[in-house]
Amino acid sequence: MAVKDSASAHAKRLRKKDASSSSSIPKLLNNPKGTMALALLFIDSLLVSIIIAYVPYTKIDWDAYMSQVSGFLGGERDYKNLKGDTGPLVYPAGFLYIYSAIQYVTGGLVFPAQILFGILYIVNLGIVLLIYLQTDVLPWWGLSLICLSKRVHSIFVLRLFNDCFAMTLLHAAMASILYQRWHLGLIIFSAAVSIKMNVLLFAPPLFILMLKGMNISGVISALASAALVQIVLGLPFLISYPIEYISQAFNLGRVFIHFWSVNFKFIPEPIFVSKEFAVSLLIAHLVLLAAFAHYKWCKHEGGLFNFLSSRIKSCLSTSSSSWPKTLKKECKLWFFHEFYERTPSSLGTKFWWK
């Protein structure tokens, strides 16, 4: 009898779950924002297909990526010997794994790679739209602004930059954290860092969120999970040539080419490449982060210092983008999808068109 009642209850739960899932689509369609998001995904899919078919591919880094991947697949583990026509490899190990898979699938050819990146663009767009639907910070018509940047389309399907994978994973990490999947979010975040170190620019506000949303043991275990991802992905290089790997993949002192700068092109090149200018930008960046943390992120807790003090006391009782020097064209992808949340419409319109 108990078995029969249990089976009946289980069947009832299944019917309830099926009814709930079957009603989710009409519910989504009745929501103007949900309907708008689905329409944007469909329209942008068509637009991406047209761009791939008719707009010429822009040759910048693809050949260098393939050369670096070929060296890795050929057995080279010394990062200083993994080079392309743009110079030595400067991205962590996750980059090599991703582009090795792409080379295997596409044979190193550009056109099939563009199709893969087109799919990636739609996946990224879907995640970003999901984030904006969940946070409800844009009107339904504002969602269309996310799809209107010609530069973002170009970065994905015409230039095939590794920024595309890094930012898609970052947005996936943000979506996971929205659903309180902190450890999964930190693992995905670490995977994004393994493709391009620039993702660490998002670490300070993420750390504040972790301190707000988790206890100290949870923060430590989540950070340990993220560190483990880096160790596992970099293991072939850490075993063979650890110093070369760390110094190349996580090089904080690299001097960038003045020609490729966008935000500081007005600065004379001798000043741009100087150590003093780099240090001044770093200091300005840290000061700006501290100001945001104190007056914005921790405003309701009485400021950054009161917040940190309360967290330290709690622990004891229980036991950042205005200043990056290297802002280039593809760097727009790092800020574009987060730009509209607090930006006046006129400024936002000017930003997406460029």
Side-chain angles (χ1 to χ4, degrees):
M1 184 68 178
V3 174
K4 184 176 180 180
D5 291 341
S6 176
S8 175
H10 180 66
K12 189 178 293 185
R13 284 196 299 270
L14 287 177
R15 287 194 297 271
K16 186 176 180 180
K17 184 177 180 181
D18 291 340
S20 176
S21 61
S22 63
S23 63
S24 61
I25 295 178
K27 184 177 180 181
L28 180 64
L29 293 177
N30 289 330
N31 179 2
K33 290 187 179 181
T35 305
M36 184 67 172
L38 291 175
L40 289 173
L41 284 172
F42 176 74
I43 294 170
D44 219 348
S45 298
L46 297 178
L47 177 60
V48 166
S49 301
I50 293 172
I51 292 173
I52 293 174
Y54 295 104
V55 180
Y57 154 74
T58 306
K59 180 180 178 181
I60 298 181
D61 284 338
W62 176 257
D63 290 342
Y65 290 171
M66 292 299 100
S67 297
Q68 293 160 353
V69 163
S70 296
F72 166 66
L73 295 176
E76 181 61 65
R77 296 297 179 265
D78 186 345
Y79 245 60
K80 290 186 177 180
N81 293 331
L82 292 174
K83 300 179 180 180
D85 55 11
T86 58
L89 177 59
V90 294
Y91 306 124
F95 161 83
L96 287 174
Y97 302 139
I98 290 290
Y99 278 85
S100 294
I102 293 174
Q103 187 185 76
Y104 176 80
V105 172
T106 65
L109 300 176
V110 170
F111 181 70
Q114 286 182 283
I115 296 175
L116 286 179
F117 274 80
I119 296 172
L120 180 67
Y121 173 86
I122 297 303
V123 171
N124 177 68
L125 177 61
I127 296 172
V128 171
L129 289 172
L130 173 64
I131 292 172
Y132 276 106
L133 288 176
Q134 289 295 318
T135 54
D136 197 27
V137 294
L138 284 179
W140 65 269
W141 56 265
L143 297 176
S144 63
L145 299 176
I146 300 172
C147 307
L148 295 180
S149 171
K150 60 180 180 181
R151 180 69 63 185
V152 173
H153 286 88
S154 173
I155 289 169
F156 269 90
V157 298
L158 298 180
R159 305 189 180 194
L160 315 180
F161 288 145
N162 59 334
D163 305 74
C164 305
F165 281 96
M167 289 307 297
T168 300
L169 287 176
L170 175 68
H171 292 144
M174 293 169 62
S176 299
I177 291 170
L178 275 177
Y179 288 96
Q180 301 297 311
R181 300 292 191 265
W182 288 97
H183 285 76
L184 176 61
L186 264 290
I187 289 172
I188 298 174
F189 179 85
S190 185
V193 173
S194 77
I195 296 174
K196 195 163 186 177
M197 188 181 63
N198 300 48
V199 177
L200 288 174
L201 290 170
F202 294 86
L206 174 58
F207 184 64
I208 296 293
L209 285 175
M210 291 172 64
L211 290 175
K212 287 187 176 187
M214 307 171 71
N215 56 34
I216 297 301
S217 61
V219 172
I220 294 174
S221 63
L223 292 175
S225 300
L228 183 61
V229 170
Q230 293 299 318
I231 293 172
V232 171
L233 293 177
L235 197 59
F237 309 97
L238 292 172
I239 292 175
S240 305
Y241 298 94
I243 296 177
E244 288 79 2
Y245 174 68
I246 295 173
S247 63
Q248 289 291 115
F250 300 97
N251 184 3
L252 297 176
R254 189 155 57 104
V255 178
F256 293 86
I257 301 174
H258 179 261
F259 175 79
W260 294 112
S261 176
V262 174
N263 54 329
F264 284 115
K265 191 175 284 291
F266 65 93
I267 299 292
E269 185 171 1
I271 298 177
F272 180 86
V273 300
S274 67
K275 186 176 181 179
E276 293 77 11
F277 184 62
V279 171
S280 65
L281 288 180
L282 177 61
I283 293 173
H285 182 71
L286 293 176
V287 169
L288 188 62
L289 281 176
F292 263 86
H294 185 74
Y295 294 105
K296 185 70 175 178
W297 303 333
C298 301
K299 178 174 63 176
H300 299 294
E301 290 80 12
L304 175 63
F305 302 108
N306 286 339
F307 171 68
L308 293 178
S309 176
S310 66
R311 295 303 288 161
I312 292 172
K313 290 177 181 178
S314 174
C315 178
L316 293 176
S317 65
T318 57
S319 15
S320 194
S321 130
S322 300
W323 300 102
K325 181 179 179 181
T326 59
L327 193 61
K328 300 184 286 184
K329 293 295 186 182
E330 64 268 29
C331 294
K332 180 178 180 179
L333 183 60
W334 297 85
F335 312 111
F336 175 77
H337 296 104
E338 290 79 21
F339 195 73
Y340 290 101
E341 180 175 346
R342 304 295 180 194
T343 303
S345 59
S346 60
L347 180 58
T349 304
K350 181 178 179 181
F351 183 77
W352 64 251
W353 182 247
K354 296 204 173 181

